[in-house]
Amino acid sequence: MMLTTHVLVGLALATPVLAVAPELGVPALAGGAIGGAFPDADMYTAHRRTLHFPVYFAALAVPALGLAAVAPTPATVALALFLLAAAVHCRMDAFGGGLELRPWKGTSDRAVYDHYRGRWRSPRRWIRYDGAPEDFAFGLALGVPLWVVLDGPFDLLVAAALAVSAVYAAVRKRLPDLAPVVAEVAPEPLESYLPDESEER
Ligand SMILES: [Zn+2]
């Protein structure tokens, strides 16, 4: 699933706090949005492994939610929603596609790494790949009611997430073809500084 879908899910998980304790809405929504995005900060390292903990985030979220219920402060509520959204993110990645350059081909059996069991969880492909039409539709189904309910900066965040999702979904299948082009073009100015390159000239 797209990063933006995870952010929208994080906001959706936090929104009920607005009904129960409106004064804690901002820390809840901020915690949910950041927790929803956080695991994908490993995108340029060992993606869906370094910061993806489908078991440990859930194990931490349970006592954190308990603490937030017993002692609701901005800090406990933000932490609880952060951990809950991060846990849901890691679980949801297993419902999407696998780790491969063109995930719509469905050849990878790696969805998300389970550190507790020491193995990869396989993709179920309910949402076939990140940026798939159904990924965007799911985000839209969450985003529209969120946009109605929320206001202020979170309203803008929802609108921005939907806009980014729309563009990403529209170009998703062209991205792998773009990757080698970018790689070929980008290092060229650097290449001219390499000694063996200048010797040839
Ligand atoms: Zn992820």
Side-chain angles (χ1 to χ4, degrees), residues 6 39-40 47-48 52 89 93:
H6 289 300
D40 280 349
H47 186 36
R48 299 214 200 140
H52 283 63
H89 174 138
D93 273 349

Side-chain angles (χ1 to χ4, degrees), residues 5-184:
T5 305
H6 289 300
V7 170
L8 292 167
V9 169
L11 288 173
L13 290 168
T15 298
V17 174
L18 282 174
V20 185
E23 71 282 7
L24 294 171
V26 169
L29 290 164
I34 296 167
F38 177 75
D40 280 349
D42 67 10
M43 206 165 280
Y44 298 105
T45 57
H47 186 36
R48 299 214 200 140
R49 179 167 178 157
T50 305
L51 295 176
H52 283 63
F53 304 97
V55 174
Y56 298 137
F57 273 138
L60 290 172
V62 173
L65 285 165
L67 179 67
V70 177
T73 68
T76 57
V77 168
L79 178 68
L81 265 303
F82 174 90
L83 291 169
L84 177 66
V88 170
H89 174 138
C90 297
R91 294 298 174 105
M92 276 175 55
D93 273 349
F95 301 138
L99 273 175
E100 56 190 315
L101 194 58
R102 294 175 176 81
W104 45 90
K105 289 190 170 175
T107 54
S108 168
D109 59 356
R110 292 179 168 194
V112 62
Y113 192 75
D114 183 339
H115 295 263
Y116 177 70
R117 292 180 179 83
R119 61 173 171 80
W120 286 88
R121 292 190 176 188
S122 49
R124 295 193 203 164
R125 301 192 175 91
W126 295 351
I127 284 176
R128 291 166 299 154
Y129 57 91
D130 62 295
E134 62 270 28
D135 192 357
F136 177 70
F138 178 55
L140 194 65
L142 289 171
V144 170
L146 281 171
W147 189 74
V148 171
V149 171
L150 303 178
D151 39 37
F154 296 107
D155 217 10
L156 287 178
L157 181 60
V158 169
L162 288 177
V164 170
S165 295
V167 173
Y168 185 83
V171 302
R172 178 64 183 96
K173 286 200 167 176
R174 272 179 255 165
L175 289 181
D177 304 321
L178 231 56
V181 175
V182 172
E184 215 163 89

